[in-house]
Amino acid sequence: MPNGLVVGCESLYVSYAPDRAGLLFAAGAAGMLTGDILIGRFVPRRWRSRLTVPLLLLLAAPHLFFFLGPALPVAAPLVALATVGFAASLISQERLMALTPDELSGHALGLHSAGMLTMQGVCALLAGAVAERTSPATGITVLAAASVAVTLMLARGLRRAEEPVRGEAAQAGVVVRTRAADAVPPPPGDPVGTDPA
């Protein structure tokens, strides 16, 4: 939900800056790349789950400043900063894989992707409806505020979910993967750990 609501914000970039929207999308792509590299490569695994809520808040908070109608030289850095928060998706997927048996991992990722894409479409529709009755800047701000509110509502559950992944559930997942790999050798020419699903 928090990600989908921010995608709703992004869906209004063209109406916010019709002639220079490409710059906003480029800034967003740069922010996403930076966040994925920082979280995926440089943040130790034991710290990642603690960053879920801060990253989701970072994803939405800079968009709140669009209420002021910032010019492009201010709006582009705000977008780049915000989209670093999309790295929270990496942490969510890591948690999902730690809690999912290997034989169901393909189905779990498929369901995760389908749900995420559906919510992004719904939120883009919502953003358009708000912007049509107000303005693109207001639409961006409203959806960003909704994303912050949803993140704060989910924060306790997200923090509670950190312990199972770092503790017993993560260890159980490792045991399941090890046993599965030992019990059923991969077919010739098939890399170990590849899930055909």
Side-chain angles (χ1 to χ4, degrees), residues 32-180:
M32 287 176 68
L33 177 64
T34 302
D36 285 352
I37 291 172
L38 288 176
I39 298 300
R41 292 291 178 194
F42 298 107
V43 175
R45 184 170 296 206
R46 65 183 180 278
W47 293 355
R48 285 182 202 158
S49 60
R50 297 174 186 166
L51 294 175
T52 304
V53 173
L55 284 170
L56 288 174
L57 290 173
L58 175 64
L59 184 58
H63 286 100
L64 295 172
F65 291 97
F66 274 76
F67 184 74
L68 302 173
L72 217 57
V74 176
L78 285 173
V79 168
L81 176 63
T83 52
V84 169
F86 274 119
S89 297
L90 293 178
I91 301 170
S92 298
Q93 288 175 2
E94 189 175 57
R95 178 179 296 141
L96 178 64
M97 289 298 93
L99 296 172
T100 304
D102 272 357
E103 62 273 15
L104 297 177
S105 61
H107 299 293
L109 282 174
L111 185 59
H112 169 76
S113 297
M116 186 172 61
L117 292 172
T118 300
M119 285 313 304
Q120 288 175 0
V122 168
C123 291
L125 220 90
L126 179 61
V130 173
E132 190 172 347
R133 294 179 177 276
T134 56
S135 69
T138 302
I140 291 171
T141 307
V142 167
L143 265 75
S147 182
V148 169
V150 169
T151 298
L152 293 176
M153 286 190 293
L154 296 174
R156 179 180 290 180
L158 289 170
R159 289 194 185 107
R160 196 180 309 135
E162 291 168 9
E163 287 307 317
V165 174
R166 291 201 306 268
E168 293 177 6
Q171 291 171 4
V174 171
V175 170
V176 169
R177 283 190 287 274
T178 303
R179 286 183 185 157

Side-chain angles (χ1 to χ4, degrees), residues 183-194:
V184 183
D190 189 36
V192 176
T194 300

Side-chain angles (χ1 to χ4, degrees), residues 20-32:
R20 305 296 298 276
L23 184 58
L24 293 179
F25 286 113
M32 287 176 68

